[in-house]
């Protein structure tokens, strides 16, 4: 598993003015995180994917299909424990598709979280804060 800090882009980031961590213009710090992910189509059907990056406000996924902008999706993320990375916490969230970009044979989707359980948000927050420190 590879995890590193990343900015959304030079034109999308700034510091807090006190030499602090970069802040994403979307309002949340974003970190690269290559975790397993699924888009749940029904109780028995899903699409496998991987995260590209994650923040408290959303996630970018690589999938083998696209979804129209504005589509509401249920996503499941396998978030590793920051101390024992062999332990995974399943985080299921509702998210809205913000963008689709072709990436080779895959599609990179930008998703904005609309509903995340508190324990799931805390698991994501721990990773973001750990990597932004």
């Amino acid at each position: 598993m590879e995890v590193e800090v990343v900015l959304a882009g030079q034109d999308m980031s700034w510091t807090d003015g006190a030499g602090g961590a970069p802040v994403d213009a979307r309002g949340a710090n974003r970190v690269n995180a290559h975790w397993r992910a699924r888009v749940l189509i029904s109780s028995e059907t899903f699409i496998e994917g991987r995260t590209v990056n994650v923040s408290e406000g959303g996630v970018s996924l690589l999938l083998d299909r696209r979804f129209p902008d504005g589509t509401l999706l249920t996503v499941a993320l396998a978030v590793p424990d920051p101390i024992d990375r062999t332990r995974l916490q399943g985080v299921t969230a509702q998210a809205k598709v913000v963008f689709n970009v072709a990436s080779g044979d895959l599609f990179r989707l930008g998703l904005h979280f609309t509903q995340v359980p508190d324990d799931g948000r805390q698991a994501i927050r721990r990773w973001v804060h750990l990597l932004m420190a």
Side-chain angles (χ1 to χ4, degrees):
M1 173 182 50
E2 175 184 319
V3 181
E4 65 183 65
V5 175
V6 68
L7 300 178
Q10 294 301 321
D11 60 331
M12 293 285 293
S13 62
W14 64 91
T15 64
D16 62 8
V23 178
D24 189 291
R26 291 167 280 201
N29 293 319
R30 213 164 261 284
V31 295
N32 277 354
H34 302 280
W35 304 333
R36 292 184 319 198
R38 290 180 173 173
V39 174
L40 307 176
I41 306 301
S42 71
S43 62
E44 299 174 4
T45 308
F46 56 86
I47 297 169
E48 292 278 354
R50 302 283 295 169
T51 64
V52 175
N53 60 50
V54 66
S55 75
E56 289 184 57
V59 64
S60 179
L61 299 179
L62 277 178
L63 301 172
D64 64 2
R65 68 174 274 198
R66 67 177 297 282
F67 291 88
D69 291 357
T71 302
L72 292 176
L73 300 174
T74 300
V75 295
L77 306 175
V79 180
D81 182 288
I83 296 168
D84 178 0
R85 296 181 185 185
T86 64
R87 293 180 42 203
L88 301 174
Q89 176 180 345
V91 174
T92 301
Q94 303 298 311
K96 181 175 158 182
V97 177
V98 178
F99 70 84
N100 287 273
V101 177
S103 181
D105 294 345
L106 300 173
F107 294 93
R108 182 174 172 187
L109 280 70
L111 305 176
H112 172 74
F113 292 137
T114 58
Q115 291 182 348
V116 183
D118 286 339
D119 61 338
R121 191 172 301 277
Q122 289 172 9
I124 292 168
R125 180 180 298 136
R126 280 192 299 273
W127 270 105
V128 172
H129 287 246
L130 174 72
L131 295 172
M132 295 304 294

